[in-house]
């Protein structure tokens, strides 16, 4: 669905943000895009959405180059930015403006979603709070039924009940022919939703694994439950020391995304060696 090849981009010649980045995203998945502040997550979303042009390389979305911004491309992509600007009109009027651009837009579903979020069609977008605007935009994105939905920090501004509602709606409107890519630093909000996990650092994709693959290869537990030589990353705690370790016994543990993220950035070589060794072992046994 999405193929990024040799992508190079920077805001100045001296500071290159992405250098020959490669990434493949497949339909039917809700990808979580993680990275430190300043790693370029928002920029990557804008490059995929065609809002920025790469210096070199290509972003191919469903057979259309994002940089060309063709009508065929634009009708299949919806981008939910972190910061939003709306005109001084009602939600209902705004839908009337947006709907014609998306052939598969589901008006009925949209109004059902905003109702679940506690919004009404007559509310004026310009006068709404940040959280209310975010709810309206999330509803628009899901109702657009585009093949690609890009979301930049979608849970910012949402209260706890709304975050739960967001997860339910994303799961409901995900389908086998759509790709959702969610950039977030609020990993706890999305732990039960995003899969696979993509982590960017220093202009490269340093991690791209499904949750099944992660649980097969890694163990998330406490230091007292694993052998010291199997520990990849250790995080000191008040009661227990949490670790990411090699899953030598094939045990199943719940993935701790914060711990995983810290392990990937702190122990790149150990993580890469563990994952590549596991892959070689599987191939050797014909798995």
């Amino acid at each position: 669905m999405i193929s990024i090849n040799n992508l190079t981009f920077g805001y100045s010649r001296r500071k290159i943000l992405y250098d020959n980045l490669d990434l493949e995203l497949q339909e039917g998945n809700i990808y979580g895009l993680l990275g430190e502040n300043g790693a370029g997550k928002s920029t990557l979303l804008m490059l995929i959405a065609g809002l920025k042009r790469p210096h070199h390389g290509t972003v191919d979305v469903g057979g259309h180059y994002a940089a060309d911004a063709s009508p065929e491309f634009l009708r299949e992509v919806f981008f939910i930015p972190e910061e939003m600007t709306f005109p001084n009109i009602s939600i209902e009027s705004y839908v009337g403006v947006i709907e014609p651009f998306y052939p598969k837009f589901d008006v009925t579903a949209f109004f059902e979603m905003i109702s679940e979020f506690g919004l009404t069609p007559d509310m004026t977008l310009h006068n709404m709070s940040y959280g209310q605007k975010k709810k309206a935009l999330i509803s628009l994105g899901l109702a657009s039924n585009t093949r690609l939905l890009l979301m930049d920090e979608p849970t910012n501004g949402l209260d706890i009940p709304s975050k739960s509602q967001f997860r339910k709606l994303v799961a409901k409107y995900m389908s086998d022919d759509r790709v959702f890519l969610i950039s977030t630093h609020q990993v706890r909000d999305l732990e039960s939703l995003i899969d696979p996990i993509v982590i960017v650092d220093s202009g490269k994709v340093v991690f791209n694994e499904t949750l099944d693959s992660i649980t097969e290869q890694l163990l998330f537990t406490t230091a007292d439950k694993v052998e010291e030589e199997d520990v990849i990353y250790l995080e000191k705690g008040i009661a227990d020391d949490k670790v990411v370790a090699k899953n030598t016994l094939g045990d199943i543990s719940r993935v701790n995304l914060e711990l995983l993220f810290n392990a990937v950035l702190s122990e790149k070589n150990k993580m890469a060696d563990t994952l590549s060794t596991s892959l070689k072992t599987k191939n050797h046994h014909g798995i």
Side-chain angles (χ1 to χ4, degrees):
M1 172 58 182
I2 302 173
S3 181
I4 302 174
N5 295 298
N6 300 317
L7 179 71
T8 300
F9 178 84
Y11 288 99
S12 70
R13 292 183 178 181
R14 293 184 178 181
K15 187 176 181 181
I16 297 299
L17 189 57
Y18 287 110
D19 186 14
N20 292 320
L21 180 140
D22 294 316
L23 180 63
E24 298 283 337
L25 304 177
Q26 300 299 321
E27 294 174 331
N29 291 310
I30 304 172
Y31 288 87
L33 179 62
L34 312 181
E36 293 184 311
N37 290 337
K41 301 186 298 297
S42 297
T43 300
L44 183 57
L45 293 185
M46 287 188 280
L47 285 161
I48 296 173
L51 298 175
K52 293 188 181 298
R53 297 177 64 91
H55 300 329
H56 302 289
T58 58
V59 178
D60 185 317
V61 179
H64 304 287
Y65 288 123
D68 293 341
S70 67
E72 294 80 12
F73 166 79
L74 294 174
R75 69 171 60 110
E76 288 295 350
V77 179
F78 197 101
F79 178 43
I80 299 175
E82 184 176 7
E83 298 298 329
M84 305 154 290
T85 301
F86 286 113
N88 192 22
I89 59 176
S90 69
I91 292 176
E92 188 170 24
S93 297
Y94 191 65
V95 171
V97 174
I98 293 297
E99 179 194 355
F101 291 98
Y102 300 99
K104 295 177 286 186
F105 195 95
D106 189 333
V107 176
T108 300
F110 171 78
F111 286 117
E112 288 177 354
M113 278 185 271
I114 64 166
S115 177
E116 291 183 46
F117 273 134
L119 307 177
T120 58
D122 61 339
M123 294 177 72
T124 302
L125 287 161
H126 185 72
N127 296 330
M128 287 162 53
S129 69
Y130 177 78
Q132 289 173 325
K133 291 177 181 177
K134 185 63 71 74
K135 293 173 184 178
L137 194 54
I138 289 168
S139 301
L140 284 168
L142 292 172
S144 70
N145 280 311
T146 53
R147 293 178 65 190
L148 174 60
L149 178 57
L150 305 167
M151 296 182 251
D152 193 4
E153 302 290 354
T155 58
N156 278 4
L158 301 185
D159 55 25
I160 292 175
S162 297
K163 289 177 181 179
S164 176
Q165 192 63 43
F166 167 77
R167 290 189 292 269
K168 291 177 182 178
L169 290 173
V170 168
K172 178 179 178 179
Y173 287 96
M174 181 57 182
S175 61
D176 290 342
D177 61 348
R178 301 186 79 179
V179 177
F180 292 173
L181 178 58
I182 304 176
S183 168
T184 184
H185 68 275
Q186 309 264 10
V187 291
R188 291 185 180 179
D189 292 344
L190 303 174
E191 270 192 334
S192 61
L193 187 67
I194 52 178
D195 181 21
I197 309 300
V198 177
I199 300 176
V200 292
D201 184 59
S202 301
K204 300 287 185 182
V205 173
V206 295
F207 189 87
N208 185 4
E209 298 282 343
T210 65
L211 289 182
D212 284 344
S213 175
I214 294 168
T215 55
E216 285 177 7
Q217 301 172 80
L218 302 173
L219 193 64
F220 298 81
T221 185
T222 53
D224 60 309
K225 295 182 179 178
V226 295
E227 299 294 333
E228 186 175 349
E229 61 266 23
D230 290 334
V231 173
I232 300 171
Y233 172 78
L234 183 145
E235 206 168 86
K236 290 286 186 180
I238 298 175
D240 298 302
D241 294 337
K242 297 179 181 179
V243 300
V244 178
K246 300 174 185 176
N247 192 6
T248 56
L249 300 178
D251 295 331
I252 300 297
S253 61
R254 181 179 177 181
V255 177
N256 182 322
L257 286 183
E258 286 189 3
L259 201 63
L260 173 69
F261 178 75
N262 292 334
V264 169
L265 296 190
S266 300
E267 300 291 348
K268 291 187 180 70
N269 292 334
K270 287 184 179 180
M271 289 289 285
D273 289 344
T274 299
L275 296 174
S276 63
T277 299
S278 176
L279 180 61
K280 289 176 183 177
T281 301
K282 290 180 181 180
N283 290 338
H284 177 73
H285 290 290
I287 298 175

